[in-house]
Amino acid sequence: MKHKVLYGLSVLFYLAFAKAYAQQSLESLLTREQAVELMLENNYGIQIANNTVEIAENNTGLLNSGYLPSLQGNAGVSRDENDSNTDFKGALDNNGNPRPDIEINNAQTTQYNAGLSLNYTLFDGLGRLYNFKRLKEQYQLSQLEARSTIENTTVQLMSVYLEIARLSENVKVFEQNLEISKKREERAQYQFDYGQVNKLEVLNARVDINTDSINIMNAQQQLRNTKRDLNLLLNRELDAEFVVDTTVTLQNMLVIDSFLEKVKENNVRLLQAERSLQISDYDIKTTRALLLPTIGLTGTYGWNQSINPPTAFFPATTRTAANVAVGANLTWNIFDGGNTINSLRNAKIAYENEALFKSQIEQEVARDVANAKGNYENALAIYRMQEQNVITNEDNFNRSQERFKLGQVSSIEFRQAQVNLLNAITVKNLAKYDAKLAEYQLLQFAGQLLNVPL
């Protein structure tokens, strides 16, 4: 009797726990598209990548091109204060009288000046042009780097999303399995009450109920943990509740094959390598431009005003002057100690390295595509086989259940058929989501992950 009470309490505790969790699970559906949208808005890595793209875009603007002139303005004011004493040394004035000394104190001289200086590089060996093109390529490269970050984060996001879907389906399967075990325990209890079976049948049924309950609790805990992982990727509250879409639609293989035919045009790693190679080419041309002369135009405008105090011989004066000057200059660094020549050699070597790196990436991408396609086809084959395996185990379980009701098989044999069906369904779920994840990875290598429905 004591064992019965303890068992009843454990079942009630589990039912209360399951009910509370079920109420918690009535959250809104988070679709794959909504998850990706939240990721694009909130993920830290993607925000950093977008800011990097914005910086690169600013660098490609006219204000950073070097094609605009430079204009400088300057202004100043100065003031001098002097004391003077003029002694005429016995000189006589017009009336024949000695000329008195002239003493001037606190005589102030004020000068004002202002000017504008305009400089424009007319020709610099085309260095400006190639540098501007290089910045354009750098902007495109930063866009590709941001795209790579988005693709990698999307695959990571979908991996976690699919794991949540798998665990959600497993929880439902475990709950259905628990219901079967409960009915079996009720049947065993009735049979025991009427003396048809011994107590061992009831105890075995209760042990199986506890095992099934533990499976549910473990799956629910894994589900909660994985949901926190997804919330972390979406940069929102870790305990935000939601449910996911467990529907899986696999792409037609003919469509995927058409994508794989254009890997060279769409794979982000290959596109990045192409941009990096072009940037190295512009580096060579920019360095070579240093060997050519620079021709520039200059223009200046100056304004000066001087306010002078009276002196012994002149009255106070104010002098104002303005001048405009236009000129051209040519600068040619004929020999700078060999620095430019050495830089040009290094730029050419860097270009060769980029070409080699591009060839290496081409081989790696070809390998990755072949491996991803093989993994996808293998995952699809396993999924189809597991579907057939579930059908076989369902048939076996249904037959065992009917024979168990008729007393033709033991509870141990019935339990084994039940466990076999449970394992077959969970393994099929795993195979289904593995196949979908393999599809995402293959689409990423094909450069189409962001262009197809998820």
Side-chain angles (χ1 to χ4, degrees):
M1 184 66 182
K2 180 179 179 182
H3 292 296
K4 243 183 191 181
V5 172
L6 292 175
Y7 169 73
L9 289 175
S10 66
V11 172
L12 288 174
F13 172 79
Y14 169 75
L15 290 175
F17 179 85
K19 182 178 179 181
Y21 181 78
Q23 291 175 345
Q24 239 183 359
S25 299
L26 298 176
E27 297 86 15
S28 60
L29 173 67
L30 178 66
T31 65
R32 295 178 179 87
E33 290 73 16
Q34 290 172 340
V36 171
E37 184 177 351
L38 289 172
M39 177 197 72
L40 294 175
E41 292 177 357
N42 301 329
N43 183 267
Y44 287 125
I46 293 177
Q47 291 182 33
I48 293 172
N50 289 335
N51 288 338
T52 303
V53 172
E54 188 174 350
I55 292 174
E57 185 179 9
N58 291 336
N59 290 337
T60 61
L62 185 63
L63 296 178
N64 194 49
S65 65
Y67 281 99
L68 296 179
S70 64
L71 180 64
Q72 294 179 335
N74 60 79
V77 60
S78 64
R79 175 172 293 182
D80 296 333
E81 189 172 293
N82 298 299
D83 296 334
S84 64
N85 184 20
T86 303
D87 185 357
F88 291 100
K89 301 295 184 179
L92 302 177
D93 59 16
N94 294 332
N95 296 324
N97 298 320
R99 296 190 63 174
D101 295 344
I102 299 177
E103 183 177 356
I104 300 176
N105 295 320
N106 300 323
Q108 294 182 351
T109 301
T110 304
Q111 293 183 339
Y112 300 96
N113 65 83
L116 293 174
S117 177
L118 179 70
N119 292 277
Y120 181 70
T121 301
L122 192 63
F123 177 77
D124 65 345
L126 300 179
R128 247 179 341 189
L129 174 64
Y130 293 128
N131 185 61
F132 187 65
K133 290 183 177 181
R134 183 188 184 280
L135 292 174
K136 290 287 187 181
E137 292 292 335
Q138 189 65 48
Y139 170 57
Q140 294 181 15
L141 179 60
S142 67
Q143 288 182 313
L144 292 172
E145 290 171 348
R147 173 186 156 186
S148 178
T149 300
I150 293 173
E151 287 183 354
N152 291 332
T153 308
T154 300
V155 171
Q156 183 183 6
L157 176 72
M158 288 298 102
S159 175
V160 179
Y161 189 98
L162 293 177
E163 179 65 8
I164 293 174
R166 184 185 74 85
L167 291 172
S168 299
E169 288 199 341
N170 282 355
V171 168
K172 294 179 180 178
V173 173
F174 289 145
E175 289 173 345
Q176 293 171 357
N177 195 60
L178 177 62
E179 290 300 319
I180 294 173
S181 296
K182 287 180 180 179
K183 291 179 180 179
R184 175 183 149 215
E185 190 271 340
E186 291 176 1
R187 177 184 176 85
Q189 184 64 49
Y190 288 142
Q191 289 176 330
F192 173 73
D193 291 340
Y194 288 98
Q196 296 177 357
V197 297
N198 57 30
K199 186 66 174 179
L200 184 61
E201 291 289 333
V202 179
L203 295 177
N204 286 337
R206 291 176 180 174
V207 169
D208 292 337
I209 287 177
N210 287 333
T211 300
D212 295 340
S213 301
I214 291 172
N215 289 338
I216 294 176
M217 294 174 66
N218 287 334
Q220 288 174 339
Q221 183 59 40
Q222 292 176 4
L223 179 59
R224 287 191 289 270
N225 292 344
T226 311
K227 283 187 175 182
R228 292 190 186 98
D229 293 337
L230 186 64
N231 286 329
L232 180 64
L233 283 173
L234 301 180
N235 188 22
R236 62 179 190 171
E237 292 293 332
L238 294 179
D239 292 324
E241 287 295 340
F242 58 91
V243 293
V244 299
D245 184 8
T246 58
T247 304
V248 170
T249 303
L250 297 171
Q251 291 283 344
N252 188 297
M253 200 63 200
L254 294 176
V255 176
I256 292 182
D257 286 337
S258 67
F259 291 155
L260 296 180
E261 293 175 356
K262 299 181 180 180
V263 169
K264 291 185 178 180
E265 292 86 355
N266 297 318
N267 181 271
V268 69
R269 290 189 66 197
L270 293 177
L271 295 176
Q272 285 177 298
E274 181 64 32
R275 297 276 76 77
S276 296
L277 185 64
Q278 187 61 57
I279 289 173
S280 293
D281 181 58
Y282 286 136
D283 286 338
I284 294 175
K285 294 177 179 178
T286 302
T287 305
R288 187 181 288 123
L290 298 176
L291 298 174
L292 299 177
T294 299
I295 300 175
L297 300 176
T298 61
T300 59
Y301 171 79
W303 175 84
N304 295 276
Q305 185 180 73
S306 178
I307 302 176
N308 302 303
T311 65
F313 304 100
F314 298 100
T317 60
T318 298
R319 181 175 180 273
T320 301
N323 68 290
V324 177
V326 178
N329 59 69
L330 183 146
T331 304
W332 195 347
N333 193 356
I334 298 175
F335 183 71
D336 62 354
N339 291 332
T340 301
I341 296 176
N342 186 65
S343 298
L344 183 59
R345 291 173 178 173
N346 290 338
K348 291 180 179 179
I349 295 174
Y351 178 84
E352 293 177 2
N353 285 341
E354 288 295 340
L356 293 172
F357 185 60
K358 180 185 176 184
S359 299
Q360 178 184 352
I361 289 180
E362 287 175 348
Q363 289 185 336
E364 291 178 354
V365 169
R367 177 207 61 192
D368 293 339
V369 169
N371 290 346
K373 184 178 180 182
N375 292 339
Y376 180 56
E377 291 174 343
N378 187 63
L380 279 178
I382 292 176
Y383 174 50
R384 303 307 181 197
M385 294 175 65
Q386 292 299 339
E387 283 184 318
Q388 293 300 318
N389 194 31
V390 168
I391 295 174
T392 302
N393 278 277
E394 283 179 343
D395 184 55
N396 179 61
F397 173 75
N398 292 332
R399 290 174 181 269
S400 298
Q401 190 175 40
E402 292 298 325
R403 296 181 64 188
F404 177 69
K405 292 178 180 179
L406 298 174
Q408 296 177 352
V409 298
S410 67
S411 60
I412 295 177
E413 292 173 318
F414 174 72
R415 175 64 178 179
Q416 187 60 50
Q418 180 186 2
V419 171
N420 289 342
L421 177 59
L422 173 67
N423 292 337
I425 295 175
T426 55
V427 171
K428 185 206 73 172
N429 288 341
L430 177 61
K432 177 175 66 174
Y433 293 113
D434 280 348
K436 189 60 179 178
L437 181 59
E439 179 186 286
Y440 286 142
Q441 293 169 340
L442 182 57
L443 290 172
Q444 180 184 13
F445 289 126
Q448 297 292 336
L449 180 63
L450 306 179
N451 301 325
V452 297
L454 296 174

